[in-house]
């Protein structure tokens, strides 16, 4: 294991190292400035006009005294109530800045769309296996996928490793030190992750906004408009930057996220335990609504209610969504409408070598390196029309390109599978409803696709899976199905009693061996 750099030395040497690090970042940053970062032309002008619209003071922190009270109350609560989490312990005890940043980076990537309780074990195993950037950079993608198996959203692990290799190979093994350079230079690092690393690892006074912080800020300032809209998102980031404690930015950001995760929860929030309840507009609204029927004349306006001079406030809920007395503070934030499921159909084949050496084996095909479930392994399949016409012919042609001659008479239809996938493209989350016709066939020797498509034969009995794990089981009506966690992905399929997992032997580009 490579030893960390010494933290002592002459001041001139420290200045030289800092200057060298800054120079590397500037050169790398300048080379990446070609990235498009904003719309142009008329669209940009229209967006700027809309974002410059005045915001009611009701949704803001109007003086420094209020901000100071918020910071002090939140940090005092966090110091008493924060959860003991492995990434926090590791960061607190680490003096090497690059290792600190790496430890934060891994935790933040794993925590995206994943619960803390699930992440803890994965994080501990990851840091035990790859404690430094250099260790991760030298690992193979299959090793990364194997450890990540079951955590979901597998592109996260791949991009994390790509980022580690870039730091080692192009940045001299040193993490970028600011949120701006982190976001520009590291693949898969967006605005939130960059600011989380910069504030927690390097002490940069920059605010963060994740799902928990969105909920906290929308309730504290009674923001009822769509939080995913550009206007509201910009306002939330502005509030987060205004509130962050310059002396303890990392602790403050973690405290805001902790508050949203443990107290200011989506349903049944624990308002009585909230350290900033006295500053919460949503809580004030609840109290006002409870008193309004008996003590306020109809149509009267409380001095603490939003009262824009002209028109509808752009941060308030639209008139079409009235206050729901039963929800209380959970009226905020506004629920974002989800896109309808995108339907997709495919013809899938389970191709088996029953007399292979060491036991029966099946054929797995590697998905493309980009797009949905990039680089993972699956049963051979082709996109098909819902009507099912020409599925058999298209599937046979594809199979023959992968493994050679396949007798059409041995292709037997088994049934149909329906499942859902929750994906996170740049445009936002959407649900993919997938329908697959499953067929089976027993075959002899196979081969590599002439186009370079990666295929491999996988043992039904070998427990040493690498990147793709799935299960076949019998439905109540006797139809073979593939089952996985709801609204997640095709990896990490639940093990069902009496069902044998289908797992990879070695995920490498090589010809399929005969059975």
């Amino acid at each position: 294991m490579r030893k960390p750099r010494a933290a002592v030395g002459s001041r001139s040497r420290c200045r030289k190292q800092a200057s060298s690090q800054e120079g590397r970042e500037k050169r790398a940053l300048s080379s990446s400035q070609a990235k498009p970062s904003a719309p142009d032309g008329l669209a940009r002008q229209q967006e700027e006009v809309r974002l410059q619209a005045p915001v009611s003071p009701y949704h803001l922190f109007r003086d420094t005294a209020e901000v100071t009270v918020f910071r002090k109350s939140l940090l005092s609560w966090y110091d008493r109530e924060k959860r003991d989490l492995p990434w926090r312990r590791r960061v607190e005890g680490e003096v090497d800045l690059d290792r600190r940043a790496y430890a934060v980076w891994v935790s933040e990537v794993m925590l995206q769309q994943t619960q803390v309780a699930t992440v803890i074990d994965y994080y501990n195993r990851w840091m035990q296996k790859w404690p430094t950037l250099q260790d991760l950079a030298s690992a193979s993608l299959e090793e990364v996928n194997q450890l990540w198996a079951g955590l979901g959203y597998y592109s996260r692990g791949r991009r994390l490793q790509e980022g580690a290799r870039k730091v080692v190979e192009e940045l001299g093994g040193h993490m970028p030190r600011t949120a701006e350079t982190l976001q520009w230079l590291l693949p898969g690092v967006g605005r939130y992750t960059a600011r989380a690393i910069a504030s927690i690892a390097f002490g940069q006074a920059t605010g963060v906004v994740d799902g928990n912080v969105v909920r906290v800020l929308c309730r504290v300032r009674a923001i009822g408009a769509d939080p995913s809209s550009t206007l509201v998102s910009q306002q939330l980031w502005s509030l987060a930057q205004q509130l962050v404690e310059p002396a303890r930015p990392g602790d403050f950001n973690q405290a805001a996220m902790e508050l949203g995760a443990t107290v200011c929860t989506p349903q049944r929030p624990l308002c009585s335990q909230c350290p900033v309840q006295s500053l919460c507009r949503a809580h004030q609204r609840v109290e006002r609504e409870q008193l309004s029927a008996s003590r306020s004349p109809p149509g009267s306006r409380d001095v603490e209610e939003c009262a824009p001079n002209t028109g509808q406030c752009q941060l308030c809920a639209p008139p079409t969504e009235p206050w729901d007395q039963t929800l209380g503070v959970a009226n905020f934030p506004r629920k974002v409408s989800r896109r309808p499921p995108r339907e997709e159909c495919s013809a899938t084949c389970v191709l088996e070598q029953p007399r292979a050496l060491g036991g029966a084996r099946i054929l797995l095909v590697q998905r493309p390196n980009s797009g949905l479930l990039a680089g993972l392994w699956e049963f051979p399949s082709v996109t098909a029309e819902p009507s099912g016409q020409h599925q058999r012919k298209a599937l046979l042609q594809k199979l023959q390109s992968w493994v050679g001659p396949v007798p059409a008479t041995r292709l037997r239809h088994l049934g149909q599978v329906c499942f859902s996938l929750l994906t996170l493209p740049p445009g936002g989350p959407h649900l993919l409803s997938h329908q697959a016709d499953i067929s089976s066939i027993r075959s002899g020797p196979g081969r590599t696709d002439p186009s370079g498509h990666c295929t491999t034969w996988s043992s039904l009995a070998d427990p040493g899976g690498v990147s793709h794990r799935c299960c076949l089981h019998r439905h109540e009506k006797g139809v073979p199905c593939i089952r996985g966690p709801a609204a997640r992905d095709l990896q990490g399929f639940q093990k069902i009693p009496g069902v044998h997992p289908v797992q990879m032997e070695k995920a490498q580009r090589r010809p399929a061996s005969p059975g």
Side-chain angles (χ1 to χ4, degrees), residues 141-268:
L141 178 58
E142 293 304 331
E143 288 179 303
V144 172
N145 283 338
Q146 183 180 25
L147 195 148
W148 202 277
L151 195 57
Y153 302 105
Y154 290 83
S155 62
R156 294 181 298 171
R158 185 182 71 251
R159 289 174 182 166
L160 187 56
Q161 189 197 35
E162 290 174 358
R165 286 181 172 172
K166 183 167 185 178
V167 171
V168 172
E169 296 171 3
E170 300 180 25
L171 301 177
H174 296 290
M175 290 281 290
R177 294 299 198 255
T178 66
E180 180 189 31
T181 52
L182 284 161
Q183 185 174 350
W184 272 105
L185 299 180
L186 300 184
V189 173
R191 187 179 188 181
Y192 162 76
T193 304
R195 291 184 174 220
I197 297 172
S199 61
I200 299 171
F202 302 130
Q204 182 182 351
T206 181
V208 301
V209 175
D210 74 340
N212 288 316
V213 176
V214 166
R215 186 163 55 255
V216 169
L217 293 180
C218 283
R219 289 174 180 173
V220 168
R221 294 295 90 177
I223 297 175
D226 183 357
S228 65
S229 69
T230 303
L231 175 67
V232 177
S233 177
Q234 184 187 62
Q235 187 61 41
L236 293 173
W237 279 101
S238 178
L239 286 172
Q241 186 61 38
Q242 179 188 11
L243 291 172
V244 66
E245 169 58 67
R248 299 177 60 188
D251 286 341
F252 181 88
N253 287 334
Q254 291 182 90
M257 293 184 282
E258 187 90 342
L259 183 66
T262 62
V263 174
C264 195
T265 52
Q267 287 86 33
R268 296 184 292 277

Side-chain angles (χ1 to χ4, degrees), residues 127 325 343 384:
M127 297 305 293
Q325 189 73 32
E343 293 187 355

Side-chain angles (χ1 to χ4, degrees), residues 469-473 483-486 491-497 499:
R469 182 177 302 164
C470 53
C471 290
L472 291 178
H473 77 102
R483 172 171 294 179
Q491 278 211 221
F493 280 133
Q494 298 170 348
K495 292 186 177 180
I496 303 168
V499 177

Side-chain angles (χ1 to χ4, degrees), residues 302-366:
D302 192 285
V303 294
E304 289 296 323
E305 189 174 352
C306 179
N309 294 328
T310 58
Q312 169 68 27
C313 174
Q314 296 188 67
L315 295 183
C316 282
T320 55
E321 297 187 13
W323 177 267
D324 186 340
Q325 189 73 32
T326 63
L327 294 178
V329 299
N331 278 280
F332 305 97
R334 177 184 171 188
K335 303 297 185 295
V336 180
S337 58
R338 294 188 177 275
R339 297 180 181 181
R342 176 170 63 89
E343 293 187 355
E344 184 174 294
C345 298
S346 67
T348 302
C349 181
V350 180
L351 185 59
E352 180 186 1
Q353 288 182 330
R355 294 182 298 277
L357 184 64
R361 299 192 301 175
I362 62 163
L363 181 71
L364 294 183
V365 180
Q366 191 172 31

